Amino acid sequence: MPMTQAFRGGTLSSSDGQRFPVKGKSTTARAMKKYFAGHGLSTYTHVSDQHTTFGTKVIVVTRREAHYVLDEIMGNKTDLPIAEHATDTHGVTLVNFALFDLVGMQLSPRIRDPGKITLYRMDPQRDVNSQWPVAGPLLTQKINMSLIEENWDDLLGLAGSIKFGHAPGRSTQCAPSESPRNTSTSTSAPARTWTAKA
């Protein structure tokens, strides 16, 4: 609608989940005593900076919200030119950072405890600390550039499958992040973009 142009350009979006109790039988509902007396489910909603909702998905309440972040962005039927997306801590994984970068977008999460998360750097710790006095000390691990180079073609194929709708984002990251045995591709993807762009 023309009125939405009075807000912002539609380049920024955000997503968050809400949990609801349900009655009766549901293939999606699960028990979670922290939130429900009985069973419940989650709705994961995407909203643009024009205050429009462009995607809502019902998901299993025990699933990680981060697995569904890219689904509605890449698969929505709007003309929104989304370039940057914000989530809370539940929408963040190492794989998500990499996938957003590979499809040409920026993930800008609100991370609750950044000191408890592994962040990567390309340069020596001393140089990073000098360049970014606040963020530098949080970048505790050196990125493995060789691993990324070895798997670059696979990473591009993965990004292309998501960007052009051949595979949803959740199908490409649920298995690597939940599996005890990470493949080289799933390991190199997170390493790519947890380098600070701060």
Side-chain angles (χ1 to χ4, degrees), residues 13-28:
S13 64
S14 62
S15 59
D16 200 4
Q18 293 178 289
R19 299 178 180 88
F20 298 97
V22 298
K23 293 182 179 181
K25 294 182 178 180
S26 170
T27 57
T28 310

PDB file of all heavy atoms in Angstrom, residues 13-28:
ATOM      1  N   SER A  13      13.825  -6.060   8.455  1.00  0.00           N
ATOM      2  CA  SER A  13      12.737  -6.867   9.011  1.00  0.00           C
ATOM      3  C   SER A  13      13.190  -7.494  10.319  1.00  0.00           C
ATOM      4  O   SER A  13      14.372  -7.475  10.661  1.00  0.00           O
ATOM      5  CB  SER A  13      12.292  -7.955   8.028  1.00  0.00           C
ATOM      6  OG  SER A  13      13.342  -8.884   7.797  1.00  0.00           O
ATOM      7  N   SER A  14      12.244  -8.038  11.036  1.00  0.00           N
ATOM      8  CA  SER A  14      12.567  -8.724  12.290  1.00  0.00           C
ATOM      9  C   SER A  14      11.611  -9.895  12.471  1.00  0.00           C
ATOM     10  O   SER A  14      10.554  -9.947  11.823  1.00  0.00           O
ATOM     11  CB  SER A  14      12.465  -7.776  13.484  1.00  0.00           C
ATOM     12  OG  SER A  14      11.146  -7.291  13.628  1.00  0.00           O
ATOM     13  N   SER A  15      11.972 -10.819  13.322  1.00  0.00           N
ATOM     14  CA  SER A  15      11.111 -11.978  13.568  1.00  0.00           C
ATOM     15  C   SER A  15      11.191 -12.376  15.027  1.00  0.00           C
ATOM     16  O   SER A  15      12.204 -12.162  15.695  1.00  0.00           O
ATOM     17  CB  SER A  15      11.508 -13.162  12.675  1.00  0.00           C
ATOM     18  OG  SER A  15      12.854 -13.537  12.898  1.00  0.00           O
ATOM     19  N   ASP A  16      10.107 -12.950  15.502  1.00  0.00           N
ATOM     20  CA  ASP A  16      10.067 -13.416  16.880  1.00  0.00           C
ATOM     21  C   ASP A  16       8.958 -14.453  17.014  1.00  0.00           C
ATOM     22  O   ASP A  16       8.019 -14.480  16.207  1.00  0.00           O
ATOM     23  CB  ASP A  16       9.825 -12.254  17.846  1.00  0.00           C
ATOM     24  CG  ASP A  16      10.254 -12.579  19.269  1.00  0.00           C
ATOM     25  OD1 ASP A  16      10.803 -13.674  19.496  1.00  0.00           O
ATOM     26  OD2 ASP A  16      10.032 -11.734  20.162  1.00  0.00           O
ATOM     27  N   GLY A  17       9.069 -15.286  18.025  1.00  0.00           N
ATOM     28  CA  GLY A  17       8.072 -16.321  18.249  1.00  0.00           C
ATOM     29  C   GLY A  17       7.179 -16.000  19.425  1.00  0.00           C
ATOM     30  O   GLY A  17       7.577 -15.307  20.363  1.00  0.00           O
ATOM     31  N   GLN A  18       5.953 -16.495  19.359  1.00  0.00           N
ATOM     32  CA  GLN A  18       5.009 -16.403  20.464  1.00  0.00           C
ATOM     33  C   GLN A  18       4.470 -17.791  20.753  1.00  0.00           C
ATOM     34  O   GLN A  18       4.199 -18.561  19.825  1.00  0.00           O
ATOM     35  CB  GLN A  18       3.845 -15.465  20.114  1.00  0.00           C
ATOM     36  CG  GLN A  18       4.237 -14.013  19.972  1.00  0.00           C
ATOM     37  CD  GLN A  18       3.033 -13.159  19.583  1.00  0.00           C
ATOM     38  OE1 GLN A  18       2.541 -13.236  18.463  1.00  0.00           O
ATOM     39  NE2 GLN A  18       2.547 -12.364  20.524  1.00  0.00           N
ATOM     40  N   ARG A  19       4.314 -18.104  22.029  1.00  0.00           N
ATOM     41  CA  ARG A  19       3.842 -19.430  22.421  1.00  0.00           C
ATOM     42  C   ARG A  19       2.390 -19.351  22.876  1.00  0.00           C
ATOM     43  O   ARG A  19       2.004 -18.443  23.615  1.00  0.00           O
ATOM     44  CB  ARG A  19       4.721 -19.991  23.535  1.00  0.00           C
ATOM     45  CG  ARG A  19       6.176 -20.146  23.130  1.00  0.00           C
ATOM     46  CD  ARG A  19       7.022 -20.653  24.286  1.00  0.00           C
ATOM     47  NE  ARG A  19       8.414 -20.796  23.900  1.00  0.00           N
ATOM     48  CZ  ARG A  19       9.327 -19.840  23.975  1.00  0.00           C
ATOM     49  NH1 ARG A  19       8.979 -18.646  24.440  1.00  0.00           N
ATOM     50  NH2 ARG A  19      10.561 -20.059  23.605  1.00  0.00           N
ATOM     51  N   PHE A  20       1.595 -20.335  22.442  1.00  0.00           N
ATOM     52  CA  PHE A  20       0.173 -20.348  22.770  1.00  0.00           C
ATOM     53  C   PHE A  20      -0.237 -21.742  23.244  1.00  0.00           C
ATOM     54  O   PHE A  20       0.170 -22.743  22.643  1.00  0.00           O
ATOM     55  CB  PHE A  20      -0.682 -19.974  21.552  1.00  0.00           C
ATOM     56  CG  PHE A  20      -0.431 -18.584  21.039  1.00  0.00           C
ATOM     57  CD1 PHE A  20       0.435 -18.366  19.976  1.00  0.00           C
ATOM     58  CD2 PHE A  20      -1.062 -17.495  21.626  1.00  0.00           C
ATOM     59  CE1 PHE A  20       0.662 -17.088  19.499  1.00  0.00           C
ATOM     60  CE2 PHE A  20      -0.837 -16.207  21.155  1.00  0.00           C
ATOM     61  CZ  PHE A  20       0.031 -16.003  20.093  1.00  0.00           C
ATOM     62  N   PRO A  21      -1.042 -21.809  24.289  1.00  0.00           N
ATOM     63  CA  PRO A  21      -1.566 -23.116  24.720  1.00  0.00           C
ATOM     64  C   PRO A  21      -2.646 -23.578  23.750  1.00  0.00           C
ATOM     65  O   PRO A  21      -3.332 -22.758  23.117  1.00  0.00           O
ATOM     66  CB  PRO A  21      -2.156 -22.815  26.098  1.00  0.00           C
ATOM     67  CG  PRO A  21      -2.501 -21.364  26.055  1.00  0.00           C
ATOM     68  CD  PRO A  21      -1.487 -20.718  25.176  1.00  0.00           C
ATOM     69  N   VAL A  22      -2.793 -24.870  23.597  1.00  0.00           N
ATOM     70  CA  VAL A  22      -3.824 -25.416  22.719  1.00  0.00           C
ATOM     71  C   VAL A  22      -4.612 -26.495  23.457  1.00  0.00           C
ATOM     72  O   VAL A  22      -4.111 -27.116  24.396  1.00  0.00           O
ATOM     73  CB  VAL A  22      -3.217 -26.015  21.431  1.00  0.00           C
ATOM     74  CG1 VAL A  22      -2.509 -24.963  20.611  1.00  0.00           C
ATOM     75  CG2 VAL A  22      -2.250 -27.148  21.762  1.00  0.00           C
ATOM     76  N   LYS A  23      -5.847 -26.670  23.023  1.00  0.00           N
ATOM     77  CA  LYS A  23      -6.685 -27.739  23.551  1.00  0.00           C
ATOM     78  C   LYS A  23      -6.986 -28.718  22.427  1.00  0.00           C
ATOM     79  O   LYS A  23      -7.030 -28.355  21.258  1.00  0.00           O
ATOM     80  CB  LYS A  23      -7.986 -27.169  24.110  1.00  0.00           C
ATOM     81  CG  LYS A  23      -7.812 -26.307  25.353  1.00  0.00           C
ATOM     82  CD  LYS A  23      -9.146 -25.826  25.883  1.00  0.00           C
ATOM     83  CE  LYS A  23      -8.972 -24.988  27.152  1.00  0.00           C
ATOM     84  NZ  LYS A  23     -10.284 -24.524  27.683  1.00  0.00           N
ATOM     85  N   GLY A  24      -7.211 -29.939  22.787  1.00  0.00           N
ATOM     86  CA  GLY A  24      -7.503 -30.941  21.771  1.00  0.00           C
ATOM     87  C   GLY A  24      -6.228 -31.518  21.183  1.00  0.00           C
ATOM     88  O   GLY A  24      -5.119 -31.225  21.633  1.00  0.00           O
ATOM     89  N   LYS A  25      -6.382 -32.312  20.146  1.00  0.00           N
ATOM     90  CA  LYS A  25      -5.250 -32.990  19.532  1.00  0.00           C
ATOM     91  C   LYS A  25      -4.623 -32.111  18.446  1.00  0.00           C
ATOM     92  O   LYS A  25      -5.317 -31.470  17.675  1.00  0.00           O
ATOM     93  CB  LYS A  25      -5.697 -34.325  18.932  1.00  0.00           C
ATOM     94  CG  LYS A  25      -6.158 -35.341  19.973  1.00  0.00           C
ATOM     95  CD  LYS A  25      -6.538 -36.657  19.316  1.00  0.00           C
ATOM     96  CE  LYS A  25      -6.959 -37.679  20.365  1.00  0.00           C
ATOM     97  NZ  LYS A  25      -7.340 -38.977  19.746  1.00  0.00           N
ATOM     98  N   SER A  26      -3.318 -32.092  18.410  1.00  0.00           N
ATOM     99  CA  SER A  26      -2.578 -31.332  17.406  1.00  0.00           C
ATOM    100  C   SER A  26      -1.258 -32.025  17.132  1.00  0.00           C
ATOM    101  O   SER A  26      -0.563 -32.433  18.062  1.00  0.00           O
ATOM    102  CB  SER A  26      -2.325 -29.900  17.884  1.00  0.00           C
ATOM    103  OG  SER A  26      -1.422 -29.237  17.011  1.00  0.00           O
ATOM    104  N   THR A  27      -0.905 -32.142  15.855  1.00  0.00           N
ATOM    105  CA  THR A  27       0.369 -32.777  15.504  1.00  0.00           C
ATOM    106  C   THR A  27       1.541 -31.846  15.801  1.00  0.00           C
ATOM    107  O   THR A  27       2.686 -32.293  15.856  1.00  0.00           O
ATOM    108  CB  THR A  27       0.394 -33.157  14.015  1.00  0.00           C
ATOM    109  OG1 THR A  27       0.162 -31.974  13.228  1.00  0.00           O
ATOM    110  CG2 THR A  27      -0.671 -34.191  13.702  1.00  0.00           C
ATOM    111  N   THR A  28       1.260 -30.556  15.987  1.00  0.00           N
ATOM    112  CA  THR A  28       2.315 -29.579  16.225  1.00  0.00           C
ATOM    113  C   THR A  28       2.524 -29.291  17.709  1.00  0.00           C
ATOM    114  O   THR A  28       3.612 -28.911  18.129  1.00  0.00           O
ATOM    115  CB  THR A  28       1.993 -28.257  15.496  1.00  0.00           C
ATOM    116  OG1 THR A  28       1.666 -28.536  14.135  1.00  0.00           O
ATOM    117  CG2 THR A  28       3.173 -27.298  15.520  1.00  0.00           C
TER     118      THR A  28
END
